Amino acid sequence: MKKLLLILLAAAGAALAKKKMEQGKNEQALWAEATDNVEKA
């Protein structure tokens, strides 16, 4: 039972870490777009 609980906790931790990383990537993409140099046409 303890092993199952540890596996579930590890899986939940990995899922949260992945979600945080995705949010960070999205935030970085927004900043890159907002601060992108505007080319003169």
Side-chain angles (χ1 to χ4, degrees):
M1 187 68 174
K2 288 182 183 180
K3 287 182 182 180
L4 180 62
L5 182 59
L6 287 175
I7 291 171
L8 290 174
L9 286 174
L16 286 174
K18 183 179 180 194
K19 186 176 179 181
K20 280 285 191 183
M21 287 177 56
E22 288 294 323
Q23 287 177 346
K25 286 181 183 179
N26 291 340
E27 184 77 17
Q28 188 173 8
L30 284 174
W31 274 107
E33 184 179 343
T35 60
D36 193 18
N37 292 335
V38 177
E39 296 182 17
K40 294 180 180 178

